[in-house]
Amino acid sequence: MNRKTLVLPAVIGLLAPVLAACGGTDSGSDSGDAIVVGTTDAFTASNDAPAPLDPAYAYDVGTWNILRQTVQTLMIQPRGEGDPVPEAAQSCGFTDSGNERYACTLREGLKFANGDPVTAADVKYSIDRARALKADSGVFALLSTIDTVETKGDREVIFHLKTADATFPFKLSTPVAGIVDPDIYAKGKLRDGFEVDGSGPYTLKAEVRNDQLVSAVFTRNPDYKGSLEVNNGKVELRSFADADAMGTALDKGDIDLMTRSMSPEQILKISADSDDNVDLVDMSGLEIRYLAFNTNDPTVRAKAVRQAMAQVIDRGELVSKVYGSQAEPLYSLVPASITGHSNAFFNKYGDPSVPKAKAMLEKAGITTPVKLTLHYTTDHYGPATKKEFELLRKQLNASGLFDVDIQGTPWATFRPAEQKGEYEVYGMGWFPDFPDADNYLAPFLDKDNFLGSPYANSTIRNTLIPESRRAADRLSASNSLMDIQDIVANDVPVLPLWQGKQYVAANDDVTGTAYAVNSSSTLQLWELGRGVSG
C-alpha cells in the first residue's frame, strides 16, 4: 500500500481559525458514495447505560463525536484553535464586567431536522433538562455555574451565573449544551437507544446489532444554518472490534479513513512506508492518560501508598517501551501545551526512586508489599493499553514494595463499576471538553466530578477553582491553577502518566484530513471531501 506522512504544527494556536459563512451546506456534493471513516470506539446500550447518545448523558469522546455532527450548540470550537465562536447563535458575550451574565442571540430561521423551529425556549429547555436530570455520567457538572436561564422573545437567551466563569463560552460548545426538541426529548427521562435528533449539519441513521451501534450514517441536513461549511453529502462512521481489523479495511478499500485508535505498530508501519497513496496525518493532541484512586478504599486510603506509587512509576520507560515518539511523559493533569501547566509531580518526586518510596511507606507505618489490582478497559483507549498496564505492574512489583495484579474489562462494564467505587486503582484517559486548564482540573476535583471520586479538597473547590474562573485572561489564572496542581501532586487522588499525539490515516483522494480531528479529539466530519489531496 502506498503511503506518505503529513505533520501538522504541534504548537497550540498555530492553526488560524477559518470559518465559513452561514448556510455553508450549499457546498459539497450529494452525489457518489459516502466517505467511510473507521473507528475502534465502541457504542453500547446496556442496563447501566441505556441512553448513550442523549446529550444529557453522553460524556466520552466517541459519543460526543456523534453528537457534534448532529446536535447544534450555541457556540463551537473553531476549525483550528482559539476561543469558541457562535454556531447556533448569531452572537454571544458577557454583558457585565464580572463574567456572571452571558447573553446569546440565535440565528434567524433555525430548524430542527424535522422542520420544527428552534427557539430560545428550546435552548432553555435543553440546558435546564440536562441540569435537572443529573445523569450519573457527571456531564451535567459542566453546567454547574449556571444559576438560571432566561429567555426574551424567540431568539434571546440569557444565562445568569452563580459565580464568575470565564470558561463558560467553552462549556456552551460542548454536547451537554446541545439544543434538543422538547417534543422528542422528555423533560424527566433520558432518551434510550441510538436515535439522535437535532439541528446540526447532519442527520443520523444508526445500524445497531446486539445493543451495539456498528455504523452511523450521517447525511447532510439541508435545513442546517450555522457557521460550518459542509464539504460532503454523506459520511459513514463504522466501528471496528480492534485496530487490526480497521487497518485491514483500509488496505482493502472498504473504508476511506481511519482514526482513533490506531496501534503504535500501525502508525510506525504507515509512517515508514515510502509510497504515497495513503496519507498519515500527525497532529498535536491534548489526550492524557492517568491512574485514578478510590481514596475511600482501604488499600489506597493512606496518602503514603499513592505517593509511593508516584515515586516508583517510571513514565519515561512507560512511554518509550509502549508508545515511542507517539507520546511524552506527563507530570501534571494539565498538558504541557496548555496555559497554566506546571510539572508539579516532577517537582515533588523527581526521578523514580525505590528508596524514597520505601521511606514514605515506612514513615506512614504501611506494611509492604502493598497488594492491589490495577484495572483498565480493554476496548476504549486503544490496543496498547494492556501492554501499558503490564509494564506498570512490572515496575511496581520490581520495587518490592507492591504486589500488583492487573484486570482488563470492556468499557460498558468498566465505566459503571468505576463510578460505583468498585475499583481501588484504575486507568483512565481524558480528551478535553475544551482546551483550557480548568477542564483538566475541575472535572476530577470539583463537586459532582466526572470520576465520582470521593476525594474532596476544600481549598481547591471553594477557593482556587472559583478564583481561576474569574480570570478572563487565562494567563492571569496561572497562579491559582498551579496551586491546584501542587495540591494534587501532594495528595495524589490521580496520577498523570502521559500525553499523546493523534493520527488520521486516509486514502489520498480524501481531502480535508488536516482538519478531520481538532486538538480536543473532536471529529469534524464536515471537513472531509473527495478530490486530490496535497
Side-chain angles (χ1 to χ4, degrees):
M1 188 164 71
N2 300 324
R3 299 177 169 97
K4 65 182 178 182
T5 302
L6 306 177
V7 181
L8 299 186
V11 179
I12 299 301
L14 287 184
L15 298 178
V18 180
L19 294 171
C22 301
T25 51
D26 290 337
S27 66
S29 172
D30 286 327
S31 63
D33 296 332
I35 297 171
V36 185
V37 177
T39 180
T40 59
D41 285 329
F43 308 96
T44 304
S46 65
N47 289 335
D48 289 319
L53 296 183
D54 191 315
Y57 177 84
Y59 203 12
D60 65 77
V61 66
T63 54
W64 271 23
N65 277 336
I66 289 178
L67 292 175
R68 289 185 191 276
Q69 321 304 316
T70 51
V71 178
Q72 208 171 11
T73 48
L74 290 171
M75 304 290 285
I76 194 168
Q77 294 175 42
R79 186 187 193 192
E81 301 297 337
D83 293 336
V85 297
E87 164 58 353
Q90 175 180 297
S91 63
C92 284
F94 286 105
T95 60
D96 66 334
S97 59
N99 292 339
E100 294 183 354
R101 186 180 188 273
Y102 195 79
C104 294
T105 300
L106 294 178
R107 297 179 187 272
E108 291 188 19
L110 289 176
K111 295 180 182 179
F112 291 109
N114 64 4
D116 291 346
V118 176
T119 68
D122 297 323
V123 176
K124 173 178 168 58
Y125 176 89
S126 303
I127 298 288
D128 286 346
R129 175 179 181 268
R131 294 168 62 217
L133 283 171
K134 289 190 174 182
D136 58 14
S137 65
V139 69
F140 68 92
L142 282 170
L143 307 174
S144 64
T145 55
I146 296 175
D147 184 17
T148 58
V149 184
E150 176 188 0
T151 63
K152 288 188 176 180
D154 285 340
R155 293 180 55 208
E156 188 172 0
V157 186
I158 302 167
F159 299 92
H160 300 277
L161 307 183
K162 300 173 186 175
T163 183
D165 186 0
T167 69
F168 189 67
F170 280 105
K171 293 170 181 176
L172 288 183
S173 74
T174 62
V176 69
I179 307 167
V180 299
D181 190 336
D183 291 339
I184 298 174
Y185 289 81
K187 184 175 183 179
K189 183 180 182 300
L190 292 170
R191 184 182 184 183
D192 292 352
F194 295 99
E195 289 185 290
V196 181
D197 292 274
S199 56
Y202 296 99
T203 59
L204 170 69
K205 181 179 180 181
E207 180 183 346
V208 180
R209 297 176 195 159
N210 300 321
D211 295 323
Q212 283 197 321
L213 187 151
V214 296
S215 171
V217 177
F218 299 99
T219 301
R220 189 172 57 184
N221 175 11
D223 291 324
Y224 166 71
K225 292 182 182 294
S227 62
L228 302 174
E229 180 178 357
V230 183
N231 294 312
N232 57 71
K234 187 178 293 184
V235 180
E236 178 186 354
L237 184 65
R238 193 176 297 173
S239 184
F240 290 88
D242 54 52
D244 288 339
M246 181 169 64
T248 298
L250 185 66
D251 286 339
K252 292 169 61 178
D254 292 339
I255 64 175
D256 299 293
L257 180 150
M258 63 179 182
T259 178
R260 66 176 304 272
S261 294
M262 290 180 268
S263 70
E265 293 78 14
Q266 276 180 319
I267 293 166
L268 285 173
K269 182 178 183 296
I270 294 171
S271 62
D273 197 304
S274 60
D275 295 331
D276 61 1
N277 283 348
V278 166
D279 296 337
L280 179 69
V281 185
D282 168 352
M283 60 196 78
S284 62
L286 297 176
E287 169 192 5
I288 69 169
R289 297 287 176 85
Y290 59 94
L291 295 178
F293 298 89
N294 176 359
T295 54
N296 279 348
D297 189 280
T299 307
V300 295
R301 181 181 297 150
K303 181 167 62 176
V305 173
R306 308 192 300 271
Q307 290 177 327
M309 291 178 67
Q311 187 66 73
V312 166
I313 288 174
D314 187 338
R315 296 169 177 81
E317 181 187 47
L318 186 69
V319 167
S320 65
K321 289 189 174 180
V322 180
Y323 297 101
S325 62
Q326 299 154 30
E328 57 187 42
L330 181 64
Y331 295 94
S332 170
L333 279 173
V334 180
S337 53
I338 294 288
T339 299
H341 161 83
S342 75
N343 286 315
F345 274 79
F346 188 83
N347 295 340
K348 181 169 179 62
Y349 300 99
D351 292 326
S353 171
V354 173
K356 287 182 180 179
K358 182 178 180 181
M360 291 173 181
L361 294 171
E362 288 179 345
K363 184 177 180 181
I366 304 296
T367 301
T368 57
V370 177
K371 186 176 179 60
L372 53 85
T373 300
L374 303 183
H375 295 266
Y376 66 94
T377 176
T378 57
D379 59 353
H380 196 67
Y381 296 122
T385 305
K386 181 180 180 182
K387 184 177 179 181
E388 177 181 346
F389 274 75
E390 288 172 344
L391 185 52
L392 287 170
R393 174 177 60 186
K394 181 179 178 181
Q395 288 182 357
L396 291 165
N397 288 347
S399 71
L401 304 175
F402 296 92
D403 179 7
V404 172
D405 195 7
I406 60 173
Q407 178 67 52
T409 308
W411 179 253
T413 303
F414 175 91
R415 176 64 169 144
E418 170 269 308
Q419 291 175 303
K420 294 173 184 176
E422 295 178 10
Y423 302 150
E424 65 264 54
V425 190
Y426 51 97
M428 293 283 283
W430 183 250
F431 300 85
D433 307 325
F434 51 87
D436 186 276
D438 177 86
N439 193 241
Y440 288 91
L441 298 171
F444 307 98
L445 306 169
D446 211 351
K447 183 182 177 183
D448 298 321
N449 62 78
F450 162 75
L451 296 173
S453 171
Y455 172 79
N457 182 287
S458 59
T459 301
I460 290 176
R461 290 187 178 182
N462 301 330
T463 302
L464 294 175
I465 289 178
E467 187 175 88
S468 71
R469 287 173 174 169
R470 283 195 289 270
D473 176 3
R474 301 310 287 157
L475 186 61
S476 65
S478 293
N479 287 339
S480 301
L481 296 168
M482 289 181 181
D483 287 346
I484 295 172
Q485 291 165 80
D486 288 341
I487 293 172
V488 170
N490 182 70
D491 291 355
V492 200
V494 289
L495 176 53
L497 298 173
W498 56 267
Q499 70 180 90
K501 296 180 181 179
Q502 52 189 3
Y503 299 85
V504 168
N507 289 328
D508 197 43
D509 68 340
V510 178
T511 61
T513 55
Y515 294 105
V517 182
N518 72 9
S519 65
S520 298
S521 299
T522 298
L523 271 179
Q524 301 177 141
L525 297 180
W526 51 86
E527 295 283 354
L528 301 177
R530 291 196 187 274
V532 179
S533 65

